[in-house]
Amino acid sequence: MRRRAFITTAGAGAVAAGIAVRARAAPAGGFDVAVVGAGTFGAWTAWHLRRAGRRVVLVDAYGAGNSRASSGGETRVIRMGYGADEVYSRWSQRSLGLWKELARTSGQKLFHETGVLWLAREEDPLTTATLTTLARLGIRHERLSRAELEKRWPQIGLGPITWAIHEPGSGALMARRAVQVVAAQAAREGVDVRTASIAPPRGKGRLGALATPQGPISAGAFVFACGPWLPKLFPDLLGERIFPTRQEVFYFGPPPGDARFAPPAMPVWVDFAEEIYGIPDIESKGFKVAPDKHGPQFDPDTGERVVSAQGLAAAREFVARRFPALKDAPLVASEVCQYENSSNGDFLIDKHPELEDVWLVGGGSGHGFKHGPAVGEYVAGHVADGTPVDAKFSLATKQKAQKRTVY
Ligand SMILES: Cc1cc2nc3c(=O)[nH]c(=O)nc-3n(C[C@H](O)[C@H](O)[C@H](O)COP(=O)(O)OP(=O)(O)OC[C@H]3O[C@@H](n4cnc5c(N)ncnc54)[C@H](O)[C@@H]3O)c2cc1C
């Protein structure tokens, strides 16, 4: 996979809290690229395109990092381990560098280096493959025995866990805030950031312009980075290839004065065998527990975002086993978000087969947030030179039946 040079941000200091939403006059002859969707994929794509000197407009129906978007949650894990799927490990590495750079230039706390702990069983092919990949890429990690785990994290009830991988340099991103900072920085550097809802594109050949109530937005190329909305925008093409699922997130309140569930005492943890992971009590939001099993189908515009009694009971049952001191911890906050799954978890990055100036970017599949910087860089490069994308990301490899292989 191609790497593009990163140009360091000019000018440090705090980014203005808000994002420019005013519709400036479009450049004569239109924009070079219009990006629809200001989630992690779209905002970073706009950012990279601008850095490459393009005239860019970034349009979102509800605003960058809004509460309906998959990128709109409080926090997201950034880990380097991906089993044998090395490309995602490399993209995580690349992305973490860019997230840290953004945090530095914006003066905002966007990343918490809590460490990430992969909890494993005796027979654990995914974690074993992860160990090999991390070693091959020279990513800092340690393999810990059960005895070492008991000593370092006595607040974890290990049950069937016999060993783990610890990535000390990984951790959690402040998701919603970080996406808003990307969009704000892009705006400051000349991207025209607008609020508008774009109708589903129709026809064949060239799209040429986006229709908005404020008038058409013409551009040389269009990137639709609309995450879970992609099936609505391209129903014939993606209606059966991107599967938005309802996902519940629970924040439990640790006992008063108890620092064992916040960093530095507690890292991010993942338990793929039980399809669940969590983030320690960051910025006093609560101890986050998030089931990774795909939920039912979900509409990102109209879906109610209230967690279910069954979901809460299942999360409590897990917490009581794995973190016994939190057995009676109250639920202090919750989120309902949606994954935008591709058939196997690989991202979708490809040209539209019938609209020659349109790109489709999405399929984050519950693990895409961290990769925004690298995905944006990849997309910006391909939009610029038009070269075909790697087969892994192509539309042709996206099936209509779900069979998850990427975790
Ligand atoms: C509960 C949960 C936990 C997750 N945990 C992690 C994690 O720990 N680590 C990780 O890396 N990833 C995680 N993910 C996945 C990650 O959050 C997503 O893959 C990623 O945020 C997707 O970003 P996106 O830019 O593709 O889509 P989105 O963030 O959904 O952005 C799409 C944007 O398009 C806009 N839009 C849609 N339609 C239109 C239209 N017609 N006109 C204009 N604008 C439009 C929307 O308003 C939205 O802002 C998690 C996801 C969820 C739901």
Side-chain angles (χ1 to χ4, degrees):
M1 287 236 178
R2 197 165 25 135
R3 294 272 173 92
R4 300 208 155 238
F6 170 62
I7 310 152
T8 12
T9 310
V15 167
I19 295 161
V21 290
R22 69 211 128 93
R24 296 179 204 149
F31 294 94
D32 295 321
V33 186
V35 180
V36 184
T40 189
F41 285 178
W44 274 107
T45 297
W47 189 95
H48 282 289
L49 285 163
R50 183 68 201 136
R51 284 301 174 92
R54 310 278 150 179
R55 294 168 301 174
V56 184
V57 60
L58 175 62
V59 187
D60 198 291
Y62 301 112
N66 67 79
S67 291
R68 288 172 165 105
S70 295
S71 304
E74 172 89 355
T75 48
R76 294 287 183 257
V77 176
I78 180 157
R79 58 180 156 92
M80 304 294 122
Y82 261 95
D85 240 321
E86 191 179 306
V87 61
Y88 292 117
S89 294
R90 285 194 276 109
W91 275 12
S92 278
Q93 265 185 303
R94 172 68 179 146
S95 293
L96 182 56
L98 291 178
W99 284 119
K100 284 182 177 174
E101 180 72 12
L102 182 74
R104 193 182 64 74
T105 55
S106 67
Q108 303 242 3
K109 183 76 181 166
L110 303 178
F111 170 62
H112 290 262
E113 195 180 83
T114 62
V116 171
L117 191 62
W118 287 64
L119 301 168
R121 270 86 173 153
E122 215 44 66
E123 295 299 318
D124 203 322
L126 180 68
T127 316
T128 304
T130 296
L131 204 54
T132 310
T133 310
L134 294 178
R136 190 169 52 242
L137 295 180
I139 293 170
R140 202 151 56 96
H141 68 283
E142 45 190 347
R143 187 194 200 286
L144 300 172
S145 67
R146 178 159 176 133
E148 287 165 315
L149 290 169
E150 280 168 353
K151 196 161 158 227
R152 281 172 69 169
W153 293 289
Q155 69 276 48
I156 303 180
L158 292 169
I161 309 295
T162 52
W163 63 285
I165 300 174
H166 183 228
E167 298 178 13
S170 300
L173 295 159
M174 301 309 295
R176 196 173 78 87
R177 186 194 306 160
V179 166
Q180 293 186 338
V181 169
V182 180
Q185 199 172 81
R188 232 179 30 180
E189 297 193 10
V191 172
D192 190 339
V193 181
R194 300 187 187 186
T195 301
S197 178
I198 305 304
R202 304 239 182 272
K204 294 184 180 184
R206 290 190 74 77
L207 180 62
L210 301 170
T212 78
Q214 297 79 29
I217 299 174
S218 57
F222 300 85
V223 176
F224 282 84
C226 297
W229 284 266
L230 283 171
K232 287 188 171 192
L233 280 157
F234 302 95
D236 296 342
L237 201 58
L238 300 179
E240 294 177 70
R241 286 189 165 83
I242 300 286
F243 310 87
T245 56
R246 184 180 199 280
Q247 305 298 142
E248 300 187 332
V249 175
F250 306 94
Y251 294 85
F252 292 101
D258 189 340
R260 290 175 296 165
F261 299 97
M266 176 62 69
V268 165
W269 50 273
V270 291
D271 186 346
F272 280 117
E274 292 214 32
E275 294 186 286
I276 197 160
Y277 67 94
I279 294 182
D281 184 11
I282 287 175
E283 299 187 7
S284 309
K285 176 78 178 178
F287 181 80
K288 173 171 166 176
V289 175
D292 187 45
K293 200 179 168 65
H294 293 174
Q297 208 182 335
F298 191 70
D299 184 315
D301 286 301
T302 59
E304 285 275 24
R305 295 177 190 264
V306 180
V307 293
S308 65
Q310 309 91 287
L312 176 58
R316 273 195 196 291
E317 186 277 326
F318 176 85
V319 166
R321 274 190 287 124
R322 191 68 75 243
F323 304 97
L326 297 181
K327 181 171 164 291
D328 298 316
L331 184 74
V332 292
S334 61
E335 292 166 355
V336 173
C337 190
Q338 65 283 310
Y339 286 175
E340 58 298 328
N341 306 293
S342 66
S343 49
N344 74 339
D346 275 326
F347 302 152
L348 166 64
I349 304 172
D350 206 350
K351 288 186 93 158
H352 190 291
E354 292 178 341
L355 287 164
E356 62 198 60
D357 50 355
V358 169
W359 288 78
L360 307 166
V361 176
S365 306
H367 70 102
F369 188 86
K370 65 181 84 57
H371 297 289
V375 167
E377 190 171 39
Y378 184 84
V379 174
H382 282 276
V383 170
D385 62 23
T387 52
V389 297
D390 297 76
K392 190 175 183 60
F393 306 121
S394 70
L395 180 63
T397 58
K398 305 298 171 282
Q399 307 296 317
K400 293 185 177 176
Q402 270 190 283
K403 191 166 183 296
R404 192 174 180 183
T405 60
V406 180
Y407 287 89

